[in-house]
Amino acid sequence: MKTRLLSVLPALVLGGWLAGCAVGPNYQRAEVATPPAFAEAGPWKQAAPADEVAKGDWWTLFNDAPLNDLEGKATQNNQQLQAAMARVDEARSISRVARSELFPTVTTDPSGEELRNSPSATQTLPGQSSDVRVPVDLNYEVDAWGRVRRTVEAAQANVQATVADEETVRLTLHAEVAQNYFTLRATDSELAIVTSAIDLRQQELDLIRARYQAGSSSDLDVSRAETELTDAKAELASIRERRAELEHALAVLEGAAAESFHIAASPLEGVPPAIPEGVPSDLLERRPDVASAERTMAATNAEIGVAKAAFFPEIRLTGAAGFESADLGSLFNWSSRVWSIGPSVSLPIFDGGKNTANLNRSEAAYDEAVANYRQQVLTSFEEVENGLSSLRNLSDQAGAEQSSVDSSQRAYKLSDLRYKTGTDTYLDVIDSERSALQSQRAAAQTLGQRYVSSVLLVKALGGGWRDSAIHAFASTETPQPQPTPAP
C-alpha cells in the first residue's frame, strides 16, 4: 500500500501544480493621456515592444558616403555600444537562470568510505567495514502559486527592456556621429569663408599700402586694414580649434585614438531632406526608450506576483535513488539499490514583516515604473514637436539669411567702389565687409543647424525606417543658393 501511494504521489503533485494559479496582477499596459495629433504634423502611434521595433540605416537618407562609412565603423568599434550588447547577453543569461527553476534539479554525489572501529570504544562492534554509495538526488519546487513563473515573466521582460536599452544606445550613438559630422562640415564652410576673407583682406592691405605710398590713402586706413586682417586670422585659428574638438569627439565615437583620426575638409552643401506630414504616425512607435520603459513596467508588475507568492507555502518534491554496498564488486547489483521520495512544505509563520515590506516595495516599484513610462511618452512628444518646429523655423531663417548674404555683398561691392573713387571712407568699407562676412558665416551655421535638427528629429522618431518609408523622405525642398566666399 505504501509503495502504491508513493508511486502516485508525483502524479498528484503534478496535477496540483497544473491546477495552481499564479498570484499577483496580470500585466496590462498603463494608459497615457495623449493628444490626437502633433501640433506640427499628423497623428501618432504608441511605442511597440523592443522585438517589434523596425531597424534601418537611417543615415543613408542623407546620401553622404563619408557619413555612411563613419556610422558603419562606429557600429563595429564604439565601446559604449559594445557594453550595451554585453548587458543584453547578461540579461539573457539571467533569464535562463530564472527559467531553469521550472525544471527539477538532479545531482549525483558518489562517495566511498573505509572504516575501522576501535575495539576499546563503547557501543561499537570491533572490526573494519566499507561503504560505497552512488546516489542520484532530485529536488523540485512545485510552482503552485506561480512564484517561479512570475520570476521568469519578470526576467523575460527585463531582457526585452535591455534590448530596447541597447537600441537606445545604438540610436544615440548614430545620432551623435551624424550631429558631430554635420557640425564639422558646417565648420569647414566657415573655414572656407574666413580663409577667402583673409586672402581678400591681404589684397586690400597691399592695395592700401600702395595707395598710402602714392599719397591717396592715410596711415589710419593702413592700420585699419592691418587690424581687420589680424582679426580674421585670429578668428580662423578659433574655428580650427573648434574643428579639432569636433574631430576628436568623432574619434571617441568611432572607437579610435584622437591623434590617428582625421576627416578631410568638406564644406557643407545642399539642404537636409524634408519630412512630409503624416510620417510621425508611422515612426513614433519605434522609440526604443519608450519600449524600454514599457517593458520595465511589465517586469515590475510580475515582481509583485513574486512578492505575493512568498506569503504562501513553498512545496518541494525531493527524492533520491542509487546503489549502496559494502563491497565494490556488488555495488551495482539490483539488491544494492536504495531510494527515497517525499514532499516538504515550508509555511511562513513569522518573518518580522519582511514579506509585507517586500510586497510594498514591489508595488512602489511598479508605481514608479508607470510614472517613468508616462513621463517618457510625454518627453517623446516634446522632442518630436521640438524637432518639427525647429526644422520649420530654421528653414525660414535660412531664407532670410540668404537674402542678407546677397544684400550685404552688394553693399560691400558698392562701398569698395565708392572708396576707390574717393566718395566713402575706408571705415565704410570695413563696416560693409564685416556685415558680409557675418551674414555668410551665419548662413553656414544655420545650414549646419538644419542638418543637426534633422538628425535630432530622426532620433526623436526612433530612427530605423522600413525601406518603403525611406523613399518617402526624398527632399521636396528646392535647393537654396549657397553662400559665396565672403569679401
Side-chain angles (χ1 to χ4, degrees):
M1 180 68 180
K2 181 178 179 181
T3 303
R4 294 179 60 187
L5 176 61
L6 291 175
S7 65
V8 300
L9 181 60
L12 293 175
V13 172
L14 179 61
W17 172 70
L18 291 173
C21 61
V23 297
N26 292 324
Y27 175 68
Q28 290 184 344
R29 181 181 297 183
E31 295 183 357
V32 182
T34 53
F38 288 124
E40 294 283 342
W44 61 278
K45 293 180 182 179
Q46 282 192 349
D51 55 358
E52 298 177 14
V53 176
K55 310 301 188 298
D57 296 342
W58 53 263
W59 52 88
T60 59
L61 173 66
F62 294 95
N63 296 318
D64 193 305
L67 174 62
N68 296 342
D69 182 60
L70 288 172
E71 297 286 11
K73 291 180 179 178
T75 301
Q76 297 175 359
N77 302 324
N78 182 266
Q79 297 306 302
Q80 288 182 324
L81 182 57
Q82 297 299 317
M85 294 169 66
R87 286 194 292 271
V88 171
D89 292 338
E90 179 184 0
R92 285 172 175 161
S93 297
I94 293 173
S95 178
R96 287 193 291 269
V97 170
R99 190 172 180 273
S100 69
E101 295 189 38
L102 291 171
F103 304 93
T105 300
V106 180
T107 60
T108 182
D109 184 20
S111 64
E113 184 180 46
E114 185 75 20
L115 177 65
R116 181 185 183 279
N117 294 322
S118 171
S120 303
T122 59
Q123 298 181 349
T124 59
L125 296 176
Q128 187 171 334
S129 63
S130 300
D131 185 46
V132 182
R133 302 181 71 251
V134 182
V136 177
D137 300 316
L138 178 144
N139 193 313
Y140 177 62
E141 178 181 351
V142 180
D143 193 26
W145 320 113
R147 183 194 72 82
V148 177
R149 280 171 285 166
R150 291 300 192 192
T151 301
V152 173
E153 181 183 340
Q156 291 175 339
N158 280 326
V159 170
Q160 293 175 319
T162 308
V163 171
D165 289 338
E166 179 200 344
E167 288 305 314
T168 299
V169 172
R170 189 185 302 272
L171 175 60
T172 301
L173 166 64
H174 291 308
E176 287 184 355
V177 169
Q179 289 178 68
N180 284 310
Y181 173 76
F182 286 127
T183 303
L184 184 144
R185 290 193 56 193
T187 304
D188 287 341
S189 296
E190 287 193 74
L191 281 174
I193 292 170
V194 174
T195 300
S196 177
I198 289 175
D199 293 339
L200 189 56
R201 289 182 181 182
Q202 182 64 60
Q203 295 174 15
E204 289 180 350
L205 177 59
D206 295 340
L207 177 61
I208 292 175
R209 282 174 176 169
R211 287 169 59 89
Y212 171 69
Q213 292 174 356
S216 301
S217 296
S218 66
D219 185 49
L220 180 59
D221 290 344
V222 174
S223 298
R224 286 172 173 168
E226 289 175 343
T227 300
E228 291 301 307
L229 177 60
T230 303
D231 289 345
K233 289 181 178 180
E235 191 62 31
L236 182 66
S238 176
I239 298 173
R240 284 174 175 168
E241 175 61 22
R242 195 151 31 96
R243 188 188 194 280
E245 292 175 354
L246 290 168
E247 201 171 54
H248 298 161
L250 276 170
V252 174
L253 294 174
E254 297 294 304
E259 62 272 13
S260 62
F261 184 82
H262 179 68
I263 297 179
S266 177
L268 190 60
E269 298 177 351
V271 292
I275 300 179
E277 291 185 6
V279 170
S281 65
D282 298 326
L283 300 185
L284 187 59
E285 63 185 0
R286 289 167 175 77
R287 289 274 305 213
D289 52 353
V290 176
S292 175
E294 188 274 331
R295 289 291 83 198
T296 299
M297 186 169 55
T300 54
N301 180 82
E303 288 169 358
I304 294 176
V306 175
K308 284 189 174 181
F311 289 91
F312 296 87
E314 180 181 314
I315 304 173
R316 287 191 172 274
L317 179 64
T318 59
F323 297 90
E324 182 176 15
S325 175
D327 182 11
L328 184 61
S330 61
L331 175 62
F332 294 104
N333 291 343
W334 185 246
S335 59
S336 299
R337 71 189 185 279
V338 293
W339 61 269
S340 67
I341 187 171
S344 66
V345 179
S346 175
L347 177 65
I349 297 177
F350 177 75
D351 59 10
K354 181 181 72 174
N355 288 339
T356 300
N358 279 333
L359 177 59
N360 292 339
R361 178 196 61 79
S362 299
E363 291 174 339
Y366 174 75
D367 292 339
E368 178 187 3
V370 171
N372 288 337
Y373 168 69
R374 289 171 172 165
Q375 181 63 35
Q376 194 61 57
V377 171
L378 293 175
T379 301
S380 301
F381 275 94
E382 177 191 13
E383 291 177 354
V384 173
E385 293 284 9
N386 289 343
L388 292 171
S389 62
S390 176
L391 283 178
R392 177 175 56 80
N393 292 324
L394 285 172
S395 178
D396 295 341
Q397 181 178 341
E401 286 178 342
Q402 184 59 47
S403 298
S404 176
V405 168
D406 296 338
S407 60
S408 63
Q409 284 187 330
R410 289 196 302 270
Y412 164 72
K413 292 177 181 179
L414 180 60
S415 63
D416 183 59
L417 179 61
R418 289 171 63 86
Y419 169 72
K420 291 176 181 178
T421 59
T423 306
D424 288 344
T425 67
Y426 187 64
L427 186 59
D428 296 323
V429 177
I430 291 176
D431 288 339
S432 60
E433 188 179 43
R434 286 175 180 173
S435 297
L437 180 61
Q438 291 173 357
S439 62
Q440 293 202 23
R441 290 186 62 188
Q445 292 169 358
T446 299
L447 180 60
Q449 291 174 4
R450 294 179 67 187
Y451 272 93
V452 169
S453 293
S454 296
V455 172
L456 291 176
L457 180 57
V458 168
K459 181 183 176 184
L461 294 171
W465 293 281
R466 300 181 183 91
D467 291 340
S468 59
I470 292 179
H471 298 298
F473 275 67
S475 176
T476 58
E477 183 175 356
T478 302
Q480 298 178 4
Q482 296 304 300
T484 56

Short mmCIF file of all heavy atoms in Angstrom, two decimals, residues 47-88:
data_model
loop_
_atom_site.label_atom_id
_atom_site.label_comp_id
_atom_site.label_asym_id
_atom_site.label_seq_id
_atom_site.Cartn_x
_atom_site.Cartn_y
_atom_site.Cartn_z
N ALA A 47 4.66 53.45 -28.74
CA ALA A 47 5.86 52.64 -28.99
C ALA A 47 5.53 51.17 -28.86
O ALA A 47 4.74 50.76 -28.02
CB ALA A 47 6.96 53.02 -28.01
N ALA A 48 6.12 50.36 -29.72
CA ALA A 48 5.95 48.92 -29.68
C ALA A 48 7.05 48.31 -28.83
O ALA A 48 8.07 48.92 -28.58
CB ALA A 48 6.01 48.35 -31.11
N PRO A 49 6.85 47.06 -28.33
CA PRO A 49 7.93 46.38 -27.60
C PRO A 49 9.18 46.28 -28.45
O PRO A 49 9.13 46.35 -29.68
CB PRO A 49 7.33 45.00 -27.31
CG PRO A 49 5.86 45.23 -27.29
CD PRO A 49 5.60 46.29 -28.32
N ALA A 50 10.30 46.08 -27.79
CA ALA A 50 11.60 46.15 -28.47
C ALA A 50 11.71 45.17 -29.63
O ALA A 50 12.33 45.47 -30.65
CB ALA A 50 12.72 45.91 -27.47
N ASP A 51 11.12 43.96 -29.49
CA ASP A 51 11.29 42.98 -30.56
C ASP A 51 10.47 43.32 -31.79
O ASP A 51 10.59 42.66 -32.83
CB ASP A 51 10.93 41.58 -30.07
CG ASP A 51 9.53 41.51 -29.49
OD1 ASP A 51 8.85 42.54 -29.45
OD2 ASP A 51 9.12 40.40 -29.09
N GLU A 52 9.63 44.36 -31.71
CA GLU A 52 8.83 44.77 -32.86
C GLU A 52 9.38 46.05 -33.50
O GLU A 52 8.83 46.56 -34.45
CB GLU A 52 7.38 45.00 -32.44
CG GLU A 52 6.70 43.74 -31.90
CD GLU A 52 5.28 44.03 -31.44
OE1 GLU A 52 4.76 45.10 -31.79
OE2 GLU A 52 4.70 43.19 -30.74
N VAL A 53 10.45 46.58 -32.92
CA VAL A 53 11.00 47.83 -33.43
C VAL A 53 11.73 47.57 -34.74
O VAL A 53 12.65 46.76 -34.81
CB VAL A 53 11.96 48.46 -32.40
CG1 VAL A 53 12.58 49.71 -32.98
CG2 VAL A 53 11.20 48.80 -31.13
N ALA A 54 11.31 48.27 -35.79
CA ALA A 54 11.97 48.10 -37.09
C ALA A 54 13.32 48.79 -37.08
O ALA A 54 13.49 49.87 -36.55
CB ALA A 54 11.09 48.69 -38.19
N LYS A 55 14.30 48.13 -37.66
CA LYS A 55 15.65 48.68 -37.70
C LYS A 55 15.94 49.19 -39.11
O LYS A 55 15.32 48.78 -40.08
CB LYS A 55 16.67 47.61 -37.32
CG LYS A 55 16.34 46.84 -36.05
CD LYS A 55 16.24 47.77 -34.85
CE LYS A 55 16.11 46.99 -33.56
NZ LYS A 55 14.92 46.16 -33.49
N GLY A 56 16.92 50.06 -39.22
CA GLY A 56 17.29 50.57 -40.53
C GLY A 56 18.44 51.54 -40.44
O GLY A 56 18.63 52.19 -39.42
N ASP A 57 19.22 51.62 -41.50
CA ASP A 57 20.35 52.55 -41.57
C ASP A 57 19.83 53.91 -42.01
O ASP A 57 20.01 54.32 -43.16
CB ASP A 57 21.41 52.01 -42.54
CG ASP A 57 22.00 50.71 -42.06
OD1 ASP A 57 21.85 50.39 -40.86
OD2 ASP A 57 22.59 49.99 -42.88
N TRP A 58 19.21 54.63 -41.08
CA TRP A 58 18.51 55.85 -41.44
C TRP A 58 19.44 56.93 -41.97
O TRP A 58 19.01 57.82 -42.71
CB TRP A 58 17.74 56.39 -40.22
CG TRP A 58 18.58 56.57 -38.99
CD1 TRP A 58 18.70 55.70 -37.96
CD2 TRP A 58 19.41 57.69 -38.67
NE1 TRP A 58 19.57 56.19 -37.01
CE2 TRP A 58 20.01 57.42 -37.42
CE3 TRP A 58 19.71 58.90 -39.31
CZ2 TRP A 58 20.89 58.31 -36.80
CZ3 TRP A 58 20.59 59.78 -38.70
CH2 TRP A 58 21.16 59.48 -37.45
N TRP A 59 20.72 56.89 -41.60
CA TRP A 59 21.65 57.94 -42.03
C TRP A 59 21.91 57.92 -43.53
O TRP A 59 22.39 58.90 -44.09
CB TRP A 59 22.97 57.81 -41.27
CG TRP A 59 23.55 56.42 -41.34
CD1 TRP A 59 24.38 55.93 -42.29
CD2 TRP A 59 23.31 55.37 -40.41
NE1 TRP A 59 24.68 54.62 -42.04
CE2 TRP A 59 24.04 54.24 -40.88
CE3 TRP A 59 22.58 55.25 -39.24
CZ2 TRP A 59 24.03 53.02 -40.20
CZ3 TRP A 59 22.58 54.03 -38.57
CH2 TRP A 59 23.30 52.94 -39.05
N THR A 60 21.61 56.81 -44.20
CA THR A 60 21.78 56.76 -45.65
C THR A 60 20.84 57.71 -46.36
O THR A 60 21.03 58.01 -47.54
CB THR A 60 21.56 55.33 -46.17
OG1 THR A 60 20.23 54.90 -45.82
CG2 THR A 60 22.56 54.36 -45.55
N LEU A 61 19.83 58.19 -45.63
CA LEU A 61 18.91 59.17 -46.19
C LEU A 61 19.62 60.44 -46.65
O LEU A 61 19.20 61.10 -47.59
CB LEU A 61 17.86 59.51 -45.12
CG LEU A 61 16.87 60.62 -45.39
CD1 LEU A 61 15.95 60.23 -46.53
CD2 LEU A 61 16.07 60.92 -44.15
N PHE A 62 20.76 60.76 -46.02
CA PHE A 62 21.47 61.99 -46.34
C PHE A 62 22.39 61.84 -47.56
O PHE A 62 23.01 62.82 -47.98
CB PHE A 62 22.30 62.44 -45.14
CG PHE A 62 21.46 62.86 -43.96
CD1 PHE A 62 21.16 61.96 -42.95
CD2 PHE A 62 20.96 64.14 -43.88
CE1 PHE A 62 20.39 62.34 -41.86
CE2 PHE A 62 20.18 64.53 -42.80
CZ PHE A 62 19.90 63.63 -41.79
N ASN A 63 22.50 60.62 -48.10
CA ASN A 63 23.31 60.38 -49.31
C ASN A 63 24.72 60.93 -49.17
O ASN A 63 25.23 61.64 -50.04
CB ASN A 63 22.62 61.00 -50.54
CG ASN A 63 21.29 60.35 -50.85
OD1 ASN A 63 21.17 59.12 -50.78
ND2 ASN A 63 20.30 61.15 -51.18
N ASP A 64 25.37 60.61 -48.06
CA ASP A 64 26.70 61.11 -47.76
C ASP A 64 27.61 59.92 -47.49
O ASP A 64 27.52 59.29 -46.42
CB ASP A 64 26.65 62.05 -46.55
CG ASP A 64 27.92 62.86 -46.38
OD1 ASP A 64 28.99 62.24 -46.30
OD2 ASP A 64 27.84 64.10 -46.31
N ALA A 65 28.47 59.59 -48.44
CA ALA A 65 29.32 58.40 -48.32
C ALA A 65 30.24 58.45 -47.11
O ALA A 65 30.36 57.44 -46.39
CB ALA A 65 30.12 58.21 -49.61
N PRO A 66 30.94 59.58 -46.81
CA PRO A 66 31.78 59.60 -45.61
C PRO A 66 30.97 59.37 -44.33
O PRO A 66 31.45 58.70 -43.40
CB PRO A 66 32.39 61.01 -45.64
CG PRO A 66 32.38 61.39 -47.08
CD PRO A 66 31.14 60.79 -47.63
N LEU A 67 29.76 59.91 -44.26
CA LEU A 67 28.92 59.68 -43.08
C LEU A 67 28.56 58.20 -42.96
O LEU A 67 28.60 57.63 -41.86
CB LEU A 67 27.65 60.53 -43.17
CG LEU A 67 26.62 60.29 -42.06
CD1 LEU A 67 27.19 60.63 -40.69
CD2 LEU A 67 25.35 61.10 -42.32
N ASN A 68 28.21 57.58 -44.08
CA ASN A 68 27.89 56.15 -44.05
C ASN A 68 29.06 55.34 -43.53
O ASN A 68 28.89 54.39 -42.74
CB ASN A 68 27.50 55.67 -45.45
CG ASN A 68 26.24 56.33 -45.97
OD1 ASN A 68 25.46 56.90 -45.20
ND2 ASN A 68 26.03 56.27 -47.27
N ASP A 69 30.26 55.71 -43.95
CA ASP A 69 31.45 55.00 -43.51
C ASP A 69 31.68 55.19 -42.00
O ASP A 69 32.00 54.24 -41.28
CB ASP A 69 32.66 55.49 -44.30
CG ASP A 69 33.94 54.75 -43.92
OD1 ASP A 69 33.98 53.51 -44.10
OD2 ASP A 69 34.89 55.39 -43.46
N LEU A 70 31.49 56.41 -41.52
CA LEU A 70 31.66 56.69 -40.10
C LEU A 70 30.65 55.92 -39.26
O LEU A 70 30.99 55.37 -38.20
CB LEU A 70 31.52 58.19 -39.84
CG LEU A 70 32.67 59.08 -40.32
CD1 LEU A 70 32.28 60.55 -40.17
CD2 LEU A 70 33.94 58.79 -39.55
N GLU A 71 29.41 55.88 -39.72
CA GLU A 71 28.37 55.17 -38.97
C GLU A 71 28.68 53.67 -38.90
O GLU A 71 28.48 53.03 -37.86
CB GLU A 71 27.00 55.40 -39.60
CG GLU A 71 26.53 56.84 -39.60
CD GLU A 71 26.08 57.33 -38.23
OE1 GLU A 71 26.33 56.62 -37.22
OE2 GLU A 71 25.49 58.42 -38.16
N GLY A 72 29.16 53.11 -40.01
CA GLY A 72 29.50 51.70 -40.00
C GLY A 72 30.63 51.37 -39.05
O GLY A 72 30.58 50.38 -38.30
N LYS A 73 31.66 52.20 -39.02
CA LYS A 73 32.78 51.98 -38.12
C LYS A 73 32.37 52.16 -36.66
O LYS A 73 32.85 51.45 -35.77
CB LYS A 73 33.93 52.91 -38.48
CG LYS A 73 34.60 52.57 -39.80
CD LYS A 73 35.75 53.53 -40.11
CE LYS A 73 36.43 53.17 -41.42
NZ LYS A 73 37.51 54.11 -41.78
N ALA A 74 31.49 53.12 -36.41
CA ALA A 74 31.02 53.33 -35.05
C ALA A 74 30.26 52.11 -34.54
O ALA A 74 30.39 51.72 -33.37
CB ALA A 74 30.14 54.58 -34.98
N THR A 75 29.46 51.50 -35.41
CA THR A 75 28.73 50.30 -35.01
C THR A 75 29.68 49.18 -34.60
O THR A 75 29.41 48.43 -33.65
CB THR A 75 27.83 49.83 -36.17
OG1 THR A 75 26.92 50.87 -36.53
CG2 THR A 75 27.05 48.58 -35.79
N GLN A 76 30.79 49.07 -35.29
CA GLN A 76 31.74 48.00 -35.02
C GLN A 76 32.64 48.29 -33.83
O GLN A 76 33.00 47.36 -33.08
CB GLN A 76 32.60 47.74 -36.26
CG GLN A 76 31.83 47.26 -37.47
CD GLN A 76 32.72 47.13 -38.70
OE1 GLN A 76 33.91 47.42 -38.65
NE2 GLN A 76 32.13 46.71 -39.81
N ASN A 77 33.01 49.55 -33.61
CA ASN A 77 34.10 49.85 -32.68
C ASN A 77 33.71 50.64 -31.45
O ASN A 77 34.53 50.73 -30.53
CB ASN A 77 35.20 50.63 -33.44
CG ASN A 77 35.72 49.88 -34.64
OD1 ASN A 77 35.85 48.67 -34.63
ND2 ASN A 77 36.02 50.61 -35.71
N ASN A 78 32.53 51.23 -31.39
CA ASN A 78 32.19 52.06 -30.24
C ASN A 78 32.09 51.20 -28.98
O ASN A 78 31.38 50.18 -28.96
CB ASN A 78 30.87 52.79 -30.49
CG ASN A 78 30.51 53.71 -29.34
OD1 ASN A 78 29.78 53.32 -28.44
ND2 ASN A 78 31.04 54.92 -29.36
N GLN A 79 32.76 51.63 -27.92
CA GLN A 79 32.82 50.84 -26.71
C GLN A 79 31.53 50.88 -25.89
O GLN A 79 31.17 49.90 -25.22
CB GLN A 79 34.01 51.30 -25.86
CG GLN A 79 35.35 51.10 -26.54
CD GLN A 79 35.56 49.67 -27.00
OE1 GLN A 79 35.51 48.74 -26.19
NE2 GLN A 79 35.79 49.48 -28.29
N GLN A 80 30.83 52.01 -25.92
CA GLN A 80 29.56 52.07 -25.22
C GLN A 80 28.55 51.10 -25.82
O GLN A 80 27.78 50.46 -25.09
CB GLN A 80 29.01 53.50 -25.25
CG GLN A 80 29.78 54.47 -24.37
CD GLN A 80 29.17 55.86 -24.38
OE1 GLN A 80 28.67 56.32 -25.42
NE2 GLN A 80 29.22 56.54 -23.25
N LEU A 81 28.55 50.99 -27.14
CA LEU A 81 27.64 50.04 -27.78
C LEU A 81 28.05 48.61 -27.46
O LEU A 81 27.19 47.74 -27.23
CB LEU A 81 27.65 50.27 -29.30
CG LEU A 81 26.71 49.37 -30.12
CD1 LEU A 81 25.28 49.51 -29.64
CD2 LEU A 81 26.81 49.70 -31.60
N GLN A 82 29.36 48.34 -27.42
CA GLN A 82 29.81 47.00 -27.05
C GLN A 82 29.37 46.66 -25.63
O GLN A 82 28.96 45.52 -25.35
CB GLN A 82 31.34 46.93 -27.15
CG GLN A 82 31.90 47.14 -28.55
CD GLN A 82 31.41 46.10 -29.54
OE1 GLN A 82 31.35 44.92 -29.23
NE2 GLN A 82 31.06 46.55 -30.74
N ALA A 83 29.44 47.63 -24.72
CA ALA A 83 28.99 47.39 -23.34
C ALA A 83 27.49 47.12 -23.30
O ALA A 83 27.03 46.24 -22.55
CB ALA A 83 29.34 48.59 -22.47
N ALA A 84 26.71 47.86 -24.10
CA ALA A 84 25.26 47.64 -24.13
C ALA A 84 24.93 46.25 -24.67
O ALA A 84 24.01 45.57 -24.17
CB ALA A 84 24.59 48.71 -24.99
N MET A 85 25.66 45.80 -25.67
CA MET A 85 25.44 44.46 -26.21
C MET A 85 25.79 43.40 -25.16
O MET A 85 25.11 42.36 -25.06
CB MET A 85 26.28 44.27 -27.47
CG MET A 85 25.85 45.17 -28.62
SD MET A 85 27.01 45.19 -30.02
CE MET A 85 26.87 43.50 -30.59
N ALA A 86 26.84 43.64 -24.38
CA ALA A 86 27.20 42.70 -23.32
C ALA A 86 26.11 42.65 -22.25
O ALA A 86 25.82 41.58 -21.69
CB ALA A 86 28.53 43.10 -22.70
N ARG A 87 25.48 43.80 -21.97
CA ARG A 87 24.39 43.81 -20.99
C ARG A 87 23.20 43.00 -21.48
O ARG A 87 22.49 42.38 -20.67
CB ARG A 87 23.97 45.25 -20.70
CG ARG A 87 24.96 46.02 -19.84
CD ARG A 87 24.37 47.32 -19.31
NE ARG A 87 24.12 48.28 -20.37
CZ ARG A 87 25.02 49.17 -20.79
NH1 ARG A 87 26.22 49.19 -20.26
NH2 ARG A 87 24.71 50.04 -21.75
N VAL A 88 22.96 42.98 -22.77
CA VAL A 88 21.88 42.14 -23.31
C VAL A 88 22.20 40.67 -23.09
O VAL A 88 21.34 39.88 -22.66
CB VAL A 88 21.67 42.43 -24.81
CG1 VAL A 88 20.72 41.41 -25.43
CG2 VAL A 88 21.13 43.83 -25.02
#
